[in-house]
């Protein structure tokens, strides 16, 4: 994925798709509600960026295909890798400085960094630990360091965030 940013549009609905989300419709945890909406609604734009997120996406063939198809339709916004990586490193340092160690549930700091850099606070994910991490560290390290992301794990949560 080449660093490139599509123009932002206030009518767009911007989300981050965690690489742990099943992109194969044959899998049990496939969020069909999201992918049906994504395929018919050009207002939905996915955000990706940072070394870890791009590396994770490249290991998943269906996710890579999805992102490439969406990129062709201007439904992907790629955030500069350096900015996301720098933000992730600052976040790690701040957690270690304040908490003493990175809590085990905080293994997706790249998503928090992407949220900080892109201002995209909606994350489609199956990962319960991401919300636990946010709840455990946000007040300790400061809200400016840890955005208040919404982890969307089911259709009800998804529909409640729709614009």
């Amino acid at each position: 994925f080449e660093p490139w940013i599509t123009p932002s549009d206030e009518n767009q609905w911007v989300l981050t798709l965690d690489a742990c989300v099943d992109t194969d419709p044959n899998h049990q945890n496939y969020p069909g509600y999201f992918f049906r909406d994504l395929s018919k609604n050009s207002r939905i734009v996915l955000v990706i960026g940072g070394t870890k997120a791009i590396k994770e996406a490249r290991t998943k063939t269906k996710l890579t295909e999805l992102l490439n198809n969406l990129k062709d339709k201007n439904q992907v916004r790629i955030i500069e890798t350096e900015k996301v990586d720098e933000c992730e490193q600052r976040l790690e340092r701040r957690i270690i400085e304040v908490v003493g160690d990175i809590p085990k549930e905080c293994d997706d700091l790249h998503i928090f960094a992407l949220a900080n850099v892109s201002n995209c606070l909606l994350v489609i994910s199956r990962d319960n630990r991401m919300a636990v991490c946010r709840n455990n560290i946000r007040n300790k390290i400061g809200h400016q360091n840890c955005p208040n992301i919404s982890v969307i794990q089911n259709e009800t949560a998804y529909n409640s965030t729709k614009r």
Side-chain angles (χ1 to χ4, degrees):
F1 305 103
E2 297 300 316
W4 150 94
I5 299 177
T6 59
S8 184
D9 178 344
E10 65 185 37
N11 293 321
Q12 291 176 336
W13 188 37
V14 184
L15 301 118
T16 298
L17 180 66
D18 189 359
C20 75
V21 172
D22 288 322
T23 53
D24 185 342
N26 298 317
H27 287 169
Q28 178 183 355
N29 292 318
Y30 177 76
Y33 57 88
F34 170 70
F35 288 109
R36 279 188 303 277
D37 208 17
L38 181 63
S39 69
K40 65 182 179 183
N41 189 341
S42 62
R43 288 185 335 107
I44 299 173
V45 174
L46 296 182
V47 171
I48 188 168
T51 300
K52 188 171 180 183
I54 291 174
K55 183 178 177 183
E56 285 179 351
R58 285 186 174 146
T59 65
K60 304 202 175 213
T61 305
K62 287 203 177 283
L63 179 56
T64 300
E65 288 171 6
L66 171 72
L67 291 170
N68 284 329
N69 289 335
L70 291 172
K71 183 178 171 188
D72 291 342
K73 297 193 262 179
N74 290 325
Q75 284 184 266
V76 173
R77 189 174 304 142
I78 301 174
I79 306 300
E80 290 181 53
T81 296
E82 298 79 23
K83 288 183 180 181
V84 176
D85 290 352
E86 287 170 14
C87 186
E88 182 180 6
Q89 290 167 3
R90 278 193 314 274
L91 181 56
E92 285 176 1
R93 285 192 304 268
R94 180 73 177 148
I95 293 170
I96 290 169
E97 175 186 309
V98 175
V99 179
D101 205 0
I102 306 284
K104 65 182 183 308
E105 66 273 7
C106 294
D107 62 346
D108 280 324
L109 295 180
H110 63 289
I111 293 178
F112 288 94
L114 180 58
N116 252 349
V117 174
S118 69
N119 266 343
C120 174
L121 300 179
L122 301 175
V123 180
I124 303 287
S125 181
R126 288 189 343 233
D127 192 346
N128 294 343
R129 296 168 306 136
M130 202 178 310
V132 172
C133 173
R134 177 204 58 216
N135 294 341
N136 287 342
I137 67 169
R138 189 161 191 262
N139 287 331
K140 294 175 185 172
I141 67 168
H143 293 195
Q144 73 279 9
N145 296 304
C146 184
N148 192 20
I149 62 170
S150 293
V151 181
I152 302 168
Q153 296 181 304
N154 57 51
E155 189 169 5
T156 301
Y158 177 74
N159 287 332
S160 73
T161 63
K162 281 177 101 169
R163 296 201 264 159

